[in-house]
Amino acid sequence: MEVLEIVLILIEILLVILKILYYICESLYKVFIPMKKKNVAGEIVLITGAAQGIGKELALGYAALGARVVCWDIDKSTNEQTVDTITRAGGSAYAYKCDVSNREEVVKVAEKVKKEVGDVTILINNAGIAPVRKFLDWSVEEIKRVIDVNLMAHYWTLQEFLPKMIEKNHGHIVTISSLASIVTGPHGTTYCASKAAVTALTDCLRLELDKYYNGRSPINFTLILPSFVRTKLVRRANFKFPFFVQFQSPQKTAGAIIDAQRQNVKELSIPSSFSFLIKCLRVLPQKAYDCIHDFLGINVEVDDPSESYI
């Protein structure tokens, strides 16, 4: 290797180190002085799973900020109640029944949204299910249902709405994943796996667009990693030290998600303190990590075998 090549490599390494230090300082700066929140008035926000829980609170929150909210849910009646609550308060909202796990249905309903409301500028993939089973108790149909709702639905909605965002150089993708995608546990062989895949999908797509736009992608991405939120998804959870576990309300969680999107935050764990702690734990040897996991005693009991999620 020639001397010039070695010098160029050393310069490149130095530049990378300086960039890393800059981005660390930038992150610390944003902790103490948060970015100004973007105005979302007039934006068309599509939220999957908007009938209840976090999805409903997101719909109410964005509508209160002046956005036009498109609510998707498989539960037609409850979804319409969400929209009715918004419209009675003077907001703008539209209800569409859609099974997001069904690609043909997503394509069909997406076309209706484009014609009747307009092009979606903020897509929030929130819909999800969290059945709890022992691995060998899963049926083929139940496994497929969880993967289709929690993972494949993201592909179908992204395929429908991302192209127009790219064409218009304007858009934001918000992915509701879970801290369970990083910290796994017994009985989570489908839910944790599906959420881990969603986290990877979001990271890959963000990096892919950055590559083709030389780091200046017009599409923003926000990955949300909630812990325990008081919704129907969290059932029969047990903790050795309950006082360590911070259950979040859907309202508070939705508020944090909206703020993160408006500030172009790339990744947010809820509560935010969990992210650093979990990443620190993950660098430990596997046996040490397992020891701490056992000590904390976090466990979710299996569902009644008679319950079906198909």
Side-chain angles (χ1 to χ4, degrees), residues 42-283:
E43 300 278 4
I44 298 179
V45 184
L46 189 148
I47 303 166
T48 66
Q52 58 190 344
I54 297 172
K56 178 179 180 179
E57 297 302 327
L58 285 169
L60 296 175
Y62 274 107
L65 292 170
R68 300 169 67 193
V69 181
V70 179
C71 298
W72 279 18
D73 205 284
I74 197 169
D75 186 337
K76 183 176 184 294
S77 176
T78 311
N79 195 40
E80 289 176 346
Q81 289 175 23
T82 297
V83 169
D84 184 57
T85 300
I86 291 171
T87 54
R88 281 191 286 107
S92 176
Y94 310 81
Y96 292 87
K97 181 181 182 299
C98 184
D99 178 356
V100 292
S101 70
N102 185 318
R103 184 179 183 278
E104 289 72 23
E105 190 167 333
V106 168
V107 171
K108 180 180 177 181
V109 179
E111 286 303 314
K112 288 187 65 178
V113 170
K114 294 169 189 175
K115 291 178 182 178
E116 298 173 1
V117 185
D119 293 317
V120 171
T121 55
I122 301 174
L123 171 63
I124 304 180
N125 276 313
N126 165 74
I129 55 176
V132 184
R133 294 268 197 277
K134 293 179 181 178
F135 178 73
L136 295 178
D137 289 342
W138 285 100
S139 69
V140 172
E141 291 76 14
E142 287 175 328
I143 293 172
K144 187 176 185 301
R145 180 62 179 166
V146 174
I147 299 302
D148 284 347
V149 173
N150 290 2
L151 172 60
M152 298 310 298
H154 291 249
Y155 284 92
W156 311 148
T157 57
L158 285 166
Q159 285 181 341
E160 289 304 309
F161 300 113
L162 182 58
K164 186 60 70 172
M165 292 183 185
I166 293 173
E167 180 184 321
K168 292 188 171 183
N169 290 322
H170 177 71
H172 204 129
I173 306 296
V174 180
T175 303
I176 310 300
S177 183
S178 172
L179 277 171
S181 69
I182 303 172
V183 180
T184 59
H187 311 142
T189 50
T190 54
Y191 180 75
C192 295
S194 65
K195 288 300 185 179
V198 163
T199 297
L201 166 63
T202 303
D203 281 342
C204 289
L205 183 56
R206 175 180 60 80
L207 291 169
E208 182 176 311
L209 288 178
D210 277 347
K211 173 181 173 61
Y212 289 107
Y213 282 91
N214 295 317
R216 297 177 181 274
S217 170
I219 311 304
N220 290 300
F221 288 83
T222 297
L223 175 67
I224 304 296
L225 303 168
S227 56
F228 291 99
V229 183
R230 295 191 183 279
T231 68
K232 290 183 178 181
L233 291 187
V234 179
R235 302 176 302 278
R236 298 189 286 279
N238 298 319
F239 311 97
K240 187 175 181 180
F241 305 106
F243 48 87
F244 281 152
V245 181
Q246 302 176 21
F247 267 87
Q248 306 292 313
S249 69
Q251 296 91 337
K252 186 175 181 179
T253 301
I257 293 169
I258 293 171
D259 286 346
Q261 181 272 316
R262 294 180 65 197
Q263 293 173 306
N264 288 336
V265 173
K266 285 184 170 58
E267 182 179 313
L268 175 70
S269 63
I270 303 174
S272 57
S273 58
F274 274 30
S275 180
F276 180 73
L277 175 62
I278 288 166
K279 287 173 181 176
C280 287
L281 291 175
R282 273 302 186 186
V283 303

Side-chain angles (χ1 to χ4, degrees), residues 133 142 235-236 302-309:
R133 294 268 197 277
E142 287 175 328
R235 302 176 302 278
R236 298 189 286 279
V302 295
D303 296 326
D304 186 330
S306 65
E307 294 183 66
S308 176
Y309 295 88

Side-chain angles (χ1 to χ4, degrees), residues 29-30 33-38 259 262-265:
Y29 176 82
K30 290 177 181 179
I33 305 178
M35 292 180 62
K36 183 179 179 181
K37 297 176 185 177
K38 297 187 295 186
D259 286 346
R262 294 180 65 197
Q263 293 173 306
N264 288 336
V265 173

